Amino acid sequence: EAQVTQNPRYLITVTGKKLTVTCSQNMNHEYMSWYRQDPGLGLRQIYYSMNVEVTDKGDVPEGYKVSRKEKRNFPLILESPSPNQTSLYFCASSPQVEETQYFGPGTRLLVL
Amino acid sequence: GIQVEQSPPDLILQEGANSTLRCNFSDSVNNLQWFHQNPWGQLINLFYIPSGTKQNGRLSATTVATERYSLLYISSSQTTDSGVYFCAPAWDSNYQLIWGAGTKLIIKP
């Protein structure tokens, strides 16, 4: 089944404890991105990747890192999480930029 | 940049009713998408419809790019149709989707 997967789906952590949210797609898509969704603020892009080894900042990159070493994987890294990073996170992919975008199931993160 | 307006912001219907959701945009577009976010938070791509009409089961969408609007039709609503429907008519210069604020739909049994 063609899909975007994310893990974990739910995570409660404490301030400063490094974490990684994995994202993988099995559709051979070139473009991948990370969003966070907060009440009243909508979906905001954190980072995106046009292709392997090519990543760039979105609107809200502070406090996050990404890497794109393989086409299928695009992990999101929070080196030192803070409570203001509590949010719902989505990974998405599309065949190329500006084409149909497919979203992962989301990761609910709570930072205490 | 492009402005996106979705209407109505909220809609409450009884199961079985039909509905029309609208997305207006301020500039020409070439890759409009409709998404459904269900009450559990999952975002599902419904249509990629830069122009014309598409149908998928009880859902259909029409985009009239020259008049800068798109419509999403839901027929014979079911409770599982509840959630927020987003229109994303374009990508900005930083390769990010531009999103509307959404229409929150509640289908009552």
Side-chain angles (χ1 to χ4, degrees):
Chain A
E1 180 188 354
Q3 59 183 346
V4 180
T5 57
Q6 294 178 227
N7 282 292
R9 296 287 312 280
Y10 305 90
L11 180 60
I12 301 174
T13 190
V14 295
T15 299
K17 186 177 182 181
K18 181 179 179 179
L19 66 92
T20 299
V21 184
T22 64
C23 172
S24 184
Q25 51 91 7
N26 62 1
M27 297 172 278
N28 202 37
H29 286 172
E30 301 285 345
Y31 179 90
M32 297 184 75
S33 63
W34 276 102
Y35 293 87
R36 61 177 289 174
Q37 186 179 33
D38 304 287
L41 297 176
L43 281 146
R44 295 178 293 169
Q45 187 161 280
I46 303 169
Y47 270 95
Y48 65 94
S49 171
M50 302 282 273
N51 207 333
V52 175
E53 301 292 1
V54 180
T55 64
D56 212 339
K57 297 177 180 179
D59 279 343
V60 288
E62 294 78 20
Y64 304 94
K65 288 175 59 177
V66 294
S67 68
R68 186 95 182 271
K69 297 177 181 176
E70 309 165 278
K71 182 181 279 191
R72 64 184 294 128
N73 296 322
F74 191 43
L76 179 70
I77 302 159
L78 285 72
E79 293 273 1
S80 182
S82 62
N84 65 12
Q85 292 179 298
T86 292
S87 188
L88 174 59
Y89 291 87
F90 288 101
C91 179
S93 73
S94 56
Q96 300 284 344
V97 68
E98 300 190 6
E99 294 187 4
T100 304
Q101 192 150 74
Y102 299 90
F103 283 79
T107 295
R108 291 190 182 274
L109 173 65
L110 173 62
V111 183
L112 301 173
Chain B
I2 189 170
Q3 303 299 310
V4 186
E5 182 179 353
Q6 290 188 243
S7 59
D10 300 277
L11 187 57
I12 301 173
L13 297 171
Q14 289 295 133
E15 199 168 25
N18 301 328
S19 59
T20 300
L21 282 57
R22 188 177 180 101
C23 174
N24 291 334
F25 38 91
S26 61
D27 206 344
S28 59
V29 300
N30 56 11
N31 41 37
L32 187 141
Q33 301 179 65
W34 281 98
F35 294 90
H36 174 219
Q37 187 167 31
N38 66 26
W40 297 270
Q42 291 187 306
L43 265 170
I44 307 297
N45 188 298
L46 299 175
F47 294 103
Y48 178 87
I49 185 166
S51 64
T53 296
K54 289 187 178 179
Q55 181 155 6
N56 184 2
R58 296 181 296 103
L59 274 61
S60 64
T62 295
T63 296
V64 184
T66 53
E67 298 187 22
R68 299 181 181 173
Y69 73 89
S70 183
L71 302 173
L72 178 69
Y73 304 96
I74 305 173
S75 64
S76 305
S77 298
Q78 301 175 358
T79 55
T80 51
D81 294 330
S82 295
V84 182
Y85 290 81
F86 292 102
C87 162
W91 295 67
D92 67 15
S93 57
N94 292 324
Y95 306 113
Q96 301 182 56
L97 272 175
I98 299 171
W99 297 82
T103 292
K104 185 175 182 179
L105 177 63
I106 297 174
I107 303 297
K108 293 187 171 183

